[in-house]
Amino acid sequence: MIDTERITTWLDEVGLPGKGEVTEISYVSGGSQNEIYEIRRGELHGALRIPPSTAPEARDQGILREWRIIEALDGSEVPHTPALGVCTDRSVLGRTFYLMGFVEGWSPVGQKGWPAPFDTDLEARRGLAYQLAEGAALLGTLDWRARGLEGLGRPDGFHERQVDRWTAFFERVKTREVPGFDVAAAWLRTHRPIDFIPGIMHGDYQFANVMFQHGAPAQLAAIIDWEMGTVGDPKLDLAWIVQGWPADTRAPELADSYTDMYGMPSRDQVVQHYADVSGRQVDDLDYYLILAKWKLGVVLEQGYMRANAADGSVSPDQMEKMQMFGPIVLDAIQAAADLAESTDYGR
């Protein structure tokens, strides 16, 4: 729990708005790596992001990386949370934390279907997909050097490192043999994108990590959760969006899926919108799809491994969720291998 007296003192010391004691501190969400609290004091309405006490020490550096990104987005066209302040003095709340402006809007996470009017107005619903793609396009074209993000990532050799980096990671966390892993990895070793223009990438860009403004037309309010943010290849964010996009967005069964994709634009339409906004070519999309599917499987295998370890490091609710990653890992990596064997790209 956040110490009211200490956070009040810190707000005074850094000169943030409001006077007197913080009037509201309420838990919003969190997991093993981060917790978010809503903070109110006078005209100040913020969201405080902090690692729980049980998170690894390295998470404090992760918080600072996130802060660098949201601070760099200030004044840009990229929908983002306002950067208010950061604290590295662990005597204040026990961990490094930052405070951002509280975003008024809604998140697709935890929704039982889309909120009105997106639940019934399919044209308005289509706008959610286009806004999602547009956010990634705007982010990837931002001048990261001019915004002080030199050193955040290592864009030089980005694609050359991917297979070795994620294979080594996979070897540390895998719990079983995964068919197709070597097929996709071998293809990625021998192929490269048509061009590589470094930029800011979110790293886990999807409906789960954005917020929308209330009401129609669809309007992205903020991109959130920057744990995997870096300077790399922004087109991987595009592939992350569409790697699981349904082939037929009019299929009735989509209404019962994790995210109701019924009535959404086609994958090709979403990709074209990204290309139109970003000005980037997308003829090498298959390369990015293979990398995204393969990498998704690798990342989720770690969660599946933690769920199977049953060592008390995850809560029962988290364990149940992570157990569900098992078949998703197999499907994602097999899909990467299948596409690697069937694509005409690079032939």
Side-chain angles (χ1 to χ4, degrees):
M1 191 61 185
I2 303 300
D3 187 295
T4 301
E5 183 177 342
R6 288 180 178 177
I7 191 63
T8 297
T9 300
W10 178 78
L11 291 173
D12 289 338
E13 288 176 349
V14 297
L16 286 172
K19 293 182 179 180
E21 188 173 280
V22 170
T23 55
E24 179 185 338
I25 302 177
S26 56
Y27 177 79
V28 176
S29 63
S32 62
Q33 301 297 306
N34 304 284
E35 294 176 343
I36 298 177
Y37 295 85
E38 184 176 1
I39 306 287
R40 286 183 184 269
R41 184 176 79 156
E43 65 268 39
L44 174 67
H45 189 195
L48 188 149
R49 187 165 167 95
I50 186 171
S53 60
T54 53
E57 290 292 313
R59 188 66 200 109
D60 285 40
Q61 289 302 311
I63 284 287
L64 289 178
R65 284 177 59 86
E66 293 179 27
W67 169 256
R68 284 189 66 188
I69 296 173
I70 66 167
E71 187 180 38
L73 296 181
D74 263 6
S76 75
E77 293 183 338
V78 179
H80 63 280
T81 55
L84 300 182
V86 64
C87 178
T88 58
D89 182 355
R90 296 180 61 160
S91 69
V92 178
L93 294 180
R95 301 298 300 254
T96 296
F97 66 89
Y98 63 82
L99 186 67
M100 51 190 165
F102 196 89
V103 175
E104 297 293 345
W106 60 275
S107 166
V109 174
Q111 294 279 341
K112 293 183 178 179
W114 299 111
F118 308 106
D119 53 344
T120 57
D121 185 340
L122 294 186
E123 188 57 35
R125 184 183 296 183
R126 288 167 61 84
L128 297 172
Y130 288 131
Q131 279 289 292
L132 183 68
E134 190 163 317
L138 292 172
L139 177 66
T141 55
L142 207 61
D143 187 340
W144 53 278
R145 289 189 178 92
R147 292 188 170 268
L149 293 181
E150 195 83 50
L152 181 72
R154 294 188 297 148
D156 292 345
F158 178 84
H159 288 284
E160 289 72 17
R161 290 194 304 273
Q162 294 303 298
V163 175
D164 286 344
R165 176 189 176 187
W166 292 108
T167 296
F169 181 90
F170 188 70
E171 290 298 324
R172 291 197 302 271
V173 303
K174 72 175 185 177
T175 60
R176 63 250 165 102
E177 293 303 314
V178 177
F181 181 89
D182 291 337
V183 172
W187 188 93
L188 288 167
R189 286 190 187 280
T190 57
H191 292 78
R192 292 292 179 268
I194 293 172
D195 55 14
F196 169 41
I197 306 171
I200 306 170
M201 57 177 284
H202 181 276
D204 190 17
Y205 195 84
Q206 53 176 310
F207 274 123
N209 287 327
V210 299
M211 294 184 67
F212 291 95
Q213 295 179 13
H214 295 293
Q219 187 66 47
L220 205 63
I223 302 170
I224 59 175
D225 289 353
W226 291 94
E227 286 182 56
M228 298 180 71
T230 191
V231 173
D233 193 330
K235 281 203 295 188
L236 194 53
D237 280 345
L238 169 63
W240 213 255
I241 296 172
V242 300
Q243 60 89 16
W245 207 266
D248 179 7
T249 56
R250 288 283 177 169
E253 61 270 18
L254 291 178
D256 298 322
S257 58
Y258 174 72
T259 299
D260 181 1
M261 299 295 286
Y262 183 80
M264 288 292 186
S266 68
R267 188 185 81 175
D268 287 348
Q269 289 172 319
V270 172
V271 170
Q272 188 58 52
H273 188 68
Y274 175 93
D276 292 342
V277 175
S278 69
R280 295 174 185 253
Q281 62 78 23
V282 290
D283 295 333
D284 49 7
L285 180 63
D286 276 1
Y287 168 85
Y288 290 94
L289 288 173
I290 292 167
L291 178 55
K293 292 173 186 288
W294 183 77
K295 181 180 173 183
L296 175 65
V298 171
V299 171
L300 292 184
E301 180 70 6
Q302 181 185 35
Y304 184 63
M305 177 270 290
R306 291 179 63 200
N308 286 325
D311 57 4
S313 63
V314 296
S315 69
D317 287 346
Q318 290 175 316
M319 184 178 298
E320 183 178 358
K321 178 183 177 181
M322 290 175 176
Q323 285 283 2
M324 296 171 64
F325 292 166
I328 298 175
V329 169
L330 299 177
D331 289 346
I333 290 182
Q334 188 60 59
D338 291 346
L339 183 54
E341 293 182 322
S342 63
T343 182
D344 291 329
Y345 179 73
R347 291 185 178 176

